Amino acid sequence: MDEELSVWLSGAAGCLALGFGIYKARWVMKCDPGDAHLKEIGAAVREGAHAFLYREYRVLAIFVIVVAVILSLTYQAEQRLVALSFAVGAMCSAIAGYVGMIIATAANMRTTQAARTSLNEALLVAFSGGTVMGMSVVGLGLVGLSGLLLAYTGQFGFDIPALTETVLPVLSGFAMGASSIALFARVGGGIFTKAADVGADLVGKVEAGIPEDSPRNPATIADNVGDNVGDVAGMGADLFESYVGSIIGAMVLGAAAGSVELVLFPLILAGTGILFSIMGTFLVKTREGGNPQTALNAGTLGAAFVMILCTLPLVMFLIPESFTLDDTSYQRFGVFGAVVVGLVAGVFIGLLTEYYTAESRGPARRIAQQSQTGAATNIIAGLGVGMVSTCLPVVCLIGAVLAAYHFAGLYGIAIAALGMLATTGIQLAVDAYGPIADNAGGLAEMCELPPEVRGRTDKLDSVGNTTAAIGKGFAIGSAALTALALFAAFRQQTNLTGIDVTKPSVTAGLFLGAMLPYLFSAFAMGAVGRAAFKMIEEVRRQFREIPGILEGTGRPDYARCVDIATKAAIREMAVPALLGILTPIAIGLLGGAEMLGGLLVGTTASGVMLALFMSNAGGAWDNAKKHIEADNYGGKNSEAHKAAVIGDTVGDPFKDTAGPSLNILIKLMSVVALVIAPLLV
């Protein structure tokens, strides 16, 4: 196939995703937003989320401009175009997060209103809102990459020397821009949402004894805002980074194999995944009394299954019969095997995460049982679940890496990562559905709607908790494979034949890299603690000083809580984010490529373990609390429930701030290393 035509087709697939996202956004906006009270509260959440992103993006705009200027001054001649790629990648990531968040906040109240009618109507609205996020991510990712690739190859050529020496090193700046925005968005959004959540839970539920999402709680609006800026915009930026990072990593390794076809195949594979993601969205529907989880599984698994079937003819048509990488020859069927390995590994990691965190499964129920003897035993049980939950997902990753390498070498590992992410459009739609359903339930509680409405939103929310947990596991697995692909690309760019761990400099880099995820998590957890302290003090103050709040006759100052969370998030997100950006630059320039390689190995291994532990422990604590709230072990307001709320509060920054942010840390450090590779040769 003609090279330019292949890139144009992938860009067209990205445009199709954006067009479908626009169609879904317009459909959501046409849905009934509800009565005046529902629209008032929904508008407050929407305005709070918009205000936070506006302030966050103002800070990030300055950061992007400064880094782009530094890159343009650091590199020489045509390599300066890396600054343009960086700026475009950052802009595409920011736009995807903003669009997804805006539609999600519009879908919240419309999902609540649709729940007055039927479960299926509410499911369709919530999932359509999530679909806008998913399609924005894959659409902007492919359009941005394809557009830059066409521009650069038009200037420098489409032959292997031009791709290896100029085009792909410059294009890697796109992934760096996406990674930088993702880390700030994930950390900032995570600090915001957990500061509000912790304040709302500890003062409202534990001290005052009022229900979750009660309009009497001043932190409730901030909590709902946080769901959107953290779990919608933040997760979107996270997977945007994985998506483009896996594509670029595979392209670099394809160039190392000396094949233009291998360079272009990741773009075509990603474009095909968009088509099947769109098709999968039409399978998501249920009936009254049905299980929304079954409907969502039909969409995601259906898209993955068809993707496997159609990958084989793509490989037969696009990949040369054999190719050589690192002096080893591989057959084109091995590329198909690597794609299948990535898809299957992603499914298994998601299922394992669901097992360790779901309310209906043994691990979460054992934590609930341990809550009967207090918060200490609850926390001990949760820590144990988080630790043991690292084992089987890592075994899956090991199997995926070994199998993919056997099939197609380092290129196979990169393609496995992309195979796992090929249907990101629908996977992210399912993940973004969760916070929308959660907010819909909160709005139903705050508007005091009939019990059957809250019953439907609770059913959607319970499924959303599972999809969120699966999404976090999937994000960690894809991050691990993407980081390995980027590391392999870094090795090719710096001509490293291996890393000798007996060298003191490499050992130092290895230990430093293994330590960084812990230091990063400490900064993130500390930021949540400081922000939550201010939130708790503010909620207590309002309970003391505003007459009639607890009786329901006084109106809380919701805006003050939103402002506290916003200021804390903007102020606190800088240090952990800059840690991930500056460390690989400093180690690479001072210690060289081999020491930087040791750093990346240590960060990847340590970061994946810690991310799995924190995300799964937090999810299990959350669902242990929900199991007790379903009239088990004394139900709500029992001693076991109070202990479970404390455990859930400890787990909140685990699963929604530090844990998910580690995915981005390990990818960001690898992509920064790839960008500075030309300076280290």
Side-chain angles (χ1 to χ4, degrees):
M1 183 183 290
D2 180 76
E3 291 91 349
E4 286 194 14
L5 177 60
S6 298
V7 182
W8 276 108
L9 287 175
S10 65
C15 291
L16 178 64
L18 294 177
F20 188 68
I22 292 170
Y23 163 74
K24 280 294 185 181
R26 295 183 65 180
W27 183 87
V28 168
M29 297 305 292
K30 289 178 181 177
C31 293
D32 185 3
D35 57 26
H37 191 200
L38 180 56
K39 286 192 284 189
E40 178 189 1
I41 296 176
V45 174
R46 186 181 178 88
E47 289 167 9
H50 185 278
F52 170 76
L53 278 194
Y54 175 73
R55 291 170 67 172
E56 182 181 52
Y57 283 2
R58 278 196 307 177
V59 174
L60 294 185
I62 297 172
F63 166 79
V64 169
I65 292 170
V66 170
V67 173
V69 170
I70 292 173
L71 288 173
S72 65
L73 295 176
T74 302
Y75 290 89
Q76 302 297 319
E78 63 272 5
Q79 294 289 343
R80 290 178 176 174
L81 287 170
V82 73
L84 174 63
S85 300
F86 172 82
V88 173
M91 183 176 65
C92 288
S93 179
I95 292 173
Y98 182 79
V99 169
M101 186 276 299
I102 288 297
I103 298 301
T105 53
N108 296 338
M109 65 185 97
R110 289 164 172 81
T111 301
T112 306
Q113 179 65 18
R116 290 176 178 262
T117 305
S118 71
L119 180 67
N120 187 52
E121 288 296 319
L123 170 66
L124 289 178
V125 175
F127 180 70
S128 295
T131 299
V132 177
M133 177 80 261
M135 293 301 152
S136 297
V137 163
V138 295
L140 286 166
L142 265 193
V143 168
L145 277 176
S146 301
L148 287 174
L149 184 60
L150 283 171
Y152 295 152
T153 53
Q155 183 175 356
F156 304 111
F158 231 124
D159 55 282
I160 288 297
L163 289 170
T164 304
E165 296 169 13
T166 305
V167 174
L168 293 178
V170 166
L171 192 63
S172 63
F174 186 90
M176 182 178 170
S179 298
S180 301
I181 294 297
L183 191 57
F184 280 106
R186 213 28 157 155
V187 173
I191 293 169
F192 185 108
T193 185
K194 291 305 106 182
D197 199 5
V198 170
D201 280 356
L202 287 185
V203 184
K205 292 171 68 174
V206 176
E207 295 182 7
I210 58 178
E212 188 173 9
D213 297 316
S214 170
R216 294 172 286 172
N217 194 325
T220 299
I221 293 291
D223 189 10
N224 288 336
V225 170
D227 289 337
N228 291 286
V229 299
D231 293 337
V232 177
M235 174 59 83
D238 185 351
L239 287 182
F240 183 93
E241 176 206 24
S242 286
Y243 189 67
V244 300
S246 64
I247 293 173
I248 289 175
M251 292 172 74
V252 171
L253 292 169
S259 170
V260 174
E261 292 86 355
L262 292 179
V263 173
L264 295 175
F265 180 72
L267 290 172
I268 298 296
L269 186 66
T272 306
I274 286 177
L275 298 179
F276 297 131
S277 292
I278 292 174
M279 292 168 56
T281 62
F282 293 101
L283 299 176
V284 179
K285 57 183 67 176
T286 189
R287 63 183 187 279
E288 195 65 30
N291 186 357
Q293 184 71 63
T294 303
L296 295 171
N297 287 344
T300 53
L301 296 179
F305 179 72
V306 178
M307 185 72 200
I308 289 176
L309 293 180
C310 291
T311 298
L312 183 56
L314 281 178
V315 168
M316 293 290 293
F317 183 63
L318 296 172
I319 301 294
E321 188 171 343
S322 64
F323 60 93
T324 301
L325 184 62
D326 290 339
D327 299 323
T328 304
S329 180
Y330 299 97
Q331 302 301 309
R332 62 183 170 195
F333 289 110
V335 176
F336 170 70
V339 174
V340 175
V341 162
L343 278 166
V344 172
V347 170
F348 272 106
I349 291 172
L351 293 175
L352 287 168
T353 307
E354 189 267 342
Y355 169 75
Y356 284 111
T357 58
E359 183 269 334
S360 60
R361 302 289 190 167
R365 293 192 170 191
R366 285 193 290 273
I367 296 173
Q369 185 182 33
Q370 292 291 317
S371 302
Q372 295 177 96
T373 51
T377 47
N378 169 284
I379 291 172
I380 290 170
L383 291 174
V385 166
M387 290 175 184
V388 77
S389 73
T390 63
C391 177
L392 292 179
V394 168
V395 171
C396 282
L397 283 173
I398 292 170
V401 169
L402 293 177
Y405 186 82
H406 170 74
F407 285 132
L410 293 175
Y411 185 76
I413 294 176
I415 286 296
L418 183 56
M420 190 181 287
L421 291 159
T423 54
T424 293
I426 190 167
Q427 289 161 345
L428 184 52
V430 170
D431 199 57
Y433 147 91
I436 294 173
D438 186 11
N439 268 208
L443 293 176
E445 178 77 30
M446 295 185 73
C447 294
E448 300 176 341
L449 297 181
E452 64 269 17
V453 177
R454 186 62 200 252
R456 291 179 184 128
T457 59
D458 281 350
K459 195 165 188 177
L460 294 176
D461 186 26
S462 64
V463 173
N465 289 327
T466 302
T467 61
I470 292 173
K472 288 183 175 70
F474 172 80
I476 295 168
S478 63
L481 288 181
T482 301
L484 288 175
L486 291 168
F487 176 72
F490 164 77
R491 201 201 76 169
Q492 291 288 341
Q493 293 286 70
T494 53
N495 301 318
L496 278 177
T497 55
I499 298 175
D500 186 356
V501 295
T502 63
K503 288 186 178 180
S505 61
V506 176
T507 304
L510 189 67
F511 277 110
L512 181 63
M515 175 275 295
L516 275 177
Y518 291 88
L519 181 61
F520 176 88
S521 299
F523 284 135
M525 297 279 286
V528 171
R530 288 186 292 274
F533 179 83
K534 294 181 180 179
M535 187 67 69
I536 289 169
E537 289 296 302
E538 174 60 22
V539 175
R540 286 173 175 167
R541 182 195 69 79
Q542 292 196 32
F543 281 159
R544 287 194 312 266
E545 298 179 8
I546 299 179
I549 284 187
L550 292 175
E551 292 77 19
T553 57
R555 178 179 173 81
D557 185 357
Y558 301 119
R560 175 63 182 155
C561 292
V562 172
D563 187 60
I564 287 174
T566 299
K567 288 180 177 177
I570 300 299
R571 182 177 63 253
E572 299 276 8
M573 70 180 182
V575 172
L578 290 175
L579 180 71
I581 297 170
L582 297 179
T583 303
I585 295 175
I587 296 301
L589 296 180
L590 297 177
E594 201 170 1
M595 185 175 182
L596 178 54
L599 179 86
L600 298 179
V601 171
T603 300
T604 302
S606 171
V608 169
M609 302 305 130
L610 192 58
L612 284 168
F613 159 66
M614 298 181 88
S615 294
N616 290 342
W621 271 316
D622 185 7
N623 282 313
K625 177 199 69 175
K626 286 181 169 57
H627 183 64
I628 293 174
E629 289 175 344
D631 292 329
N632 296 293
Y633 304 115
K636 290 184 179 180
N637 299 320
S638 64
E639 291 303 313
H641 183 239
K642 291 179 181 177
V645 170
I646 292 173
D648 178 39
T649 306
V650 173
D652 274 338
F654 268 49
K655 67 181 174 66
D656 290 326
T657 307
S661 299
L662 287 171
N663 308 333
I664 304 170
L665 177 73
I666 62 177
K667 291 176 289 185
L668 174 62
M669 291 182 65
S670 293
V671 81
V672 168
L674 182 60
V675 169
I676 67 170
L679 302 176
L680 307 180
V681 178

